Amino acid sequence: ATAYNFASSVGTYTAITGGVVWQTGTWDDATASIPLGFNFTYNGLTVSSLTASTNGYMTSYTASLGYSPISSTTAANIVISPMGRDLQGQTGSEIRYETSGSAPNRVFTLQWTDAKRYGTSYAGELLDFQIKLYETSNTIEFVYGSVTGSSYASAVHPQVGLRGSGATDFFNRTTTTDWTASTQGGSNTATMTLNNTVYPPSGLTYTFSLKAPAAATAVTPANGAINVDMTATLNWAAGTGAGPTSGFKLYLGTNNPPTNIVNGVDLGSVSTYDPTPDLACCSVHYWRLEAYGPGGSTMSPTWSFTTVFPPGVLTGWVRNSALNPIIGATVTAGTYTATTGAGGEYTFLAIPAATYTVTCMATGYNTGLANNVVITSGNTTTLNFTLTNPTMTITPNPFDVTVNP
């Protein structure tokens, strides 16, 4: 429910006269599944029908939420309440609904006429109001018509606003003096005072429009990263705490603002992009994302990274002169180090393309040395070592002995 903005205005109340009449006369505590005529998305749930309650609200729950729909603890992903309270019909009362317009801009209207709060204490009360749901934008309106409030001093006042899947996810309104100057409720039990002096003027409209989505956040490459493989993919996550995100448009380039590689291509709802062809080597690349949804669009910051040639692989084995594997030998190529495991094998999985001097050391063996070892981008180089044991020379020759007679 907090994904919506709120606005209040006063215009003209236009009653609907077509559509379907659902209730007439002295109705009370009725619910029914009402078709909207189009798909409507709220709180991440897309529906084509909602349960209408005569008690001044609509919900995705399949039965009644009682008389306090916003503070109800019953799980319901959608609660839309312009006058949530124990209501009843009286002579001349009616509830009807209608879907008007044409796709993709249809409007669903649910309308209460001459309703009242339940009981004889509210005799003479007349409540006219509507719920309007808008296709595509998923905007919600509460429109109030002619209202005559009761002077009953102990009146129970209506809950007005929206609720999400739980009673802690609410976006409601409250006032004790003026419906045109309501404020956001601080609790899910907040109400709007309704009596013979405090009531909504005809034409008062509460509009709940979806917020623009939050800006996307970069995952990889990290902003400012260097030594990024020119075959890298871009990965990101949708932002949180704002309106729903439908998809992303990508801007990527070596210019800033970025446009000269990808200029606003609509990627849909994906969260990764693999540039084709691969990015140019050894360049600073800039990128940003425009997150869009029914509430508008939001551009991310511009991120950057610097590409390098993709690394190569250096692998091989280390054995002694008897061709037995040497486990635990240390192989060093520049600043990179690997240790042989079972079978005397070692591997550098990602070593930058360059020419290296490679050494191999193991306790009890002479050091192995290989000069001018060329690692090429994206390829595997194999380099094996056979280490010898140290030798010893004894002087004089112990076998050259002269014996005097």
Side-chain angles (χ1 to χ4, degrees):
T2 54
Y4 283 85
N5 293 308
F6 172 80
S8 175
S9 61
V10 178
T12 301
Y13 181 81
T14 303
I16 61 171
T17 56
V20 177
V21 175
W22 172 41
Q23 298 285 335
T24 58
T26 56
W27 42 261
D28 184 39
D29 287 343
T31 59
S33 178
I34 304 294
L36 305 180
F38 51 84
N39 287 337
F40 185 81
T41 300
Y42 177 104
N43 214 38
L45 180 66
T46 300
V47 296
S48 59
S49 63
L50 287 171
T51 298
S53 169
T54 56
N55 293 310
Y57 59 88
M58 299 189 80
T59 177
S60 58
Y61 187 58
T62 55
S64 174
L65 296 177
Y67 307 136
S68 302
I70 294 177
S71 59
S72 169
T73 57
T74 301
N77 198 62
I78 301 174
V79 178
I80 300 170
S81 176
M83 193 70 73
R85 188 47 69 200
D86 184 6
L87 303 182
Q88 69 176 147
Q90 55 190 328
T91 301
S93 291
E94 176 188 88
I95 304 176
R96 72 167 64 219
Y97 61 90
E98 178 183 61
T99 300
S100 58
S102 57
N105 298 306
R106 289 169 287 193
V107 181
F108 169 83
T109 304
L110 177 63
Q111 173 179 284
W112 284 256
T113 301
D114 289 350
K116 64 182 286 289
R117 282 173 285 187
Y118 183 85
T120 57
S121 298
Y122 301 97
E125 189 166 72
L126 298 171
L127 309 175
D128 291 2
F129 59 95
Q130 299 170 334
I131 295 173
K132 287 183 175 289
L133 307 179
Y134 289 80
E135 186 181 18
T136 304
S137 69
N138 298 298
T139 295
I140 301 166
E141 285 184 346
F142 301 162
V143 188
Y144 298 92
S146 176
V147 172
T148 300
S150 167
S151 60
Y152 178 43
S154 300
V156 180
H157 301 294
Q159 293 187 347
V160 176
L162 308 178
R163 202 197 87 185
S165 56
T168 59
D169 179 17
F170 61 91
F171 188 43
N172 56 0
R173 308 303 300 173
T174 188
T175 189
T176 58
T177 58
D178 185 356
W179 281 59
T180 66
S182 67
T183 58
Q184 185 171 333
S187 71
N188 59 17
T189 58
T191 59
M192 297 283 289
T193 295
L194 177 61
N195 57 36
N196 61 325
T197 59
V198 180
Y199 55 86
S202 181
L204 176 66
T205 302
Y206 287 172
T207 302
F208 299 87
S209 57
L210 282 169
K211 296 176 182 177
T217 57
V219 176
T220 56
N223 186 34
I226 59 175
N227 297 327
V228 174
D229 191 332
M230 56 191 286
T231 64
T233 60
L234 309 181
N235 300 279
W236 61 89
T240 59
T245 300
S246 301
F248 302 92
K249 294 180 180 179
L250 173 66
Y251 299 82
L252 170 66
T254 54
N255 58 335
N256 187 15
T259 56
N260 63 7
I261 297 176
V262 178
N263 187 13
V265 171
D266 190 341
L267 303 178
S269 59
V270 302
S271 58
T272 187
Y273 177 76
D274 185 3
T276 303
D278 292 337
L279 299 172
C281 179
C282 314
S283 299
V284 177
H285 289 76
Y286 302 91
W287 64 299
R288 61 181 180 173
L289 292 159
E290 182 181 1
Y292 63 85
S297 63
T298 302
M299 188 70 77
S300 74
T302 298
W303 307 298
S304 67
F305 59 92
T306 303
T307 53
V308 295
F309 284 113
V313 175
L314 175 61
T315 188
W317 47 254
V318 179
R319 298 177 183 174
N320 60 23
S321 56
L323 299 183
N324 295 317
I326 300 176
I327 299 172
T330 299
V331 181
T332 302
T335 60
Y336 300 89
T337 300
T339 302
T340 57
E345 297 173 346
Y346 73 92
T347 300
F348 297 89
L349 286 177
I351 184 168
T355 300
Y356 295 88
T357 295
V358 184
T359 61
C360 179
M361 301 177 65
T363 301
Y365 295 91
N366 293 317
T367 298
L369 177 66
N371 293 309
N372 300 317
V373 178
V374 178
I375 305 299
T376 56
S377 177
N379 295 313
T380 298
T381 300
T382 301
L383 177 63
N384 300 320
F385 287 93
T386 301
L387 301 186
T388 59
N389 297 103
T391 58
M392 180 181 298
T393 302
I394 300 175
T395 303
N397 188 338
F399 301 104
D400 185 9
V401 179
T402 302
V403 180
N404 295 321

